[in-house]
């Protein structure tokens, strides 16, 4: 199914692959979840079985999203955190894309961020 920005049914599927990124993951997640606009976000964090606090940090956001306590600034957000051994970043990204259901896909490295308004710029 193809959806164009003109009909306002945009669902961004964002994949972040992570491995031992506890010092960066909060900023990365916040940059996705804080996007404002007339669209939906599906956020999938694919962790490669980190031994630090990466998974725990990401799961805190996932819990807030599922409980409805995270302050939404878009139509809706779903978030999934998957932690399992993988064959590296590209394997994790591909596994994340296989889970995704949106009509616009992107990946964001675990130490990168989106600028405020990035999704809205694409959606309009």
């Amino acid at each position: 199914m193809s959806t164009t920005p003109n009909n306002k049914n945009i669902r961004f599927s964002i994949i972040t692959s992570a491995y031992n990124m506890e010092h960066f993951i909060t900023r990365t997640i916040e940059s996705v979840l804080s996007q404002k606009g007339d669209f939906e976000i599906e956020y999938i964090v694919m962790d490669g079985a980190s031994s630090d606090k990466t998974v725990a940090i990401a799961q805190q956001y996932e819990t807030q999203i599922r409980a409805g306590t995270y302050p939404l600034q878009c139509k809706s957000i779903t978030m999934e955190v998957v932690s399992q051994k993988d064959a590296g970043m590209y394997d994790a990204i591909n596994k994340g894309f296989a889970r995704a259901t949106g009509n616009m896909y992107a990946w964001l490295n675990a130490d990168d961020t989106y600028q405020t308004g990035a999704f809205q710029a694409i959606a309009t």
Side-chain angles (χ1 to χ4, degrees):
M1 178 174 124
S2 176
T3 304
T4 62
N6 293 336
N7 71 13
K8 301 295 182 190
N9 289 326
I10 298 172
R11 181 175 174 93
F12 291 99
S13 291
I14 309 300
I15 311 303
T16 294
S17 66
Y19 182 72
N20 290 339
M21 297 299 286
E22 72 178 282
H23 299 294
F24 304 99
I25 197 70
T26 297
R27 283 190 44 201
T28 301
I29 292 171
E30 287 283 344
S31 81
V32 173
L33 301 183
S34 66
Q35 294 291 317
K36 298 177 187 177
D38 189 28
F39 47 78
E40 299 175 0
I41 298 172
E42 173 184 48
Y43 190 32
I44 303 170
V45 177
M46 298 296 296
D47 176 78
S50 291
S51 59
D52 65 0
K53 296 177 184 174
T54 301
V55 175
I57 292 166
Q59 286 175 334
Q60 288 175 344
Y61 287 96
E62 180 184 30
T63 298
Q64 290 177 31
I65 294 293
R66 289 183 186 215
T69 59
Y70 190 88
L72 299 183
Q73 299 184 59
C74 61
K75 284 183 177 178
S76 70
I77 299 175
T78 61
M79 184 171 178
E80 180 181 12
V81 179
V82 178
S83 184
Q84 59 188 5
K85 292 250 181 215
D86 56 44
M89 178 177 78
Y90 299 109
D91 182 43
I93 292 166
N94 286 328
K95 287 178 180 178
F97 282 151
R99 297 171 101 80
T101 63
N103 47 27
M104 292 199 180
Y105 288 28
W107 85 82
L108 180 66
N109 295 322
D111 61 349
D112 290 333
T113 59
Y114 283 116
Q115 292 291 319
T116 301
F119 291 20
Q120 188 59 38
I122 294 167
T124 55

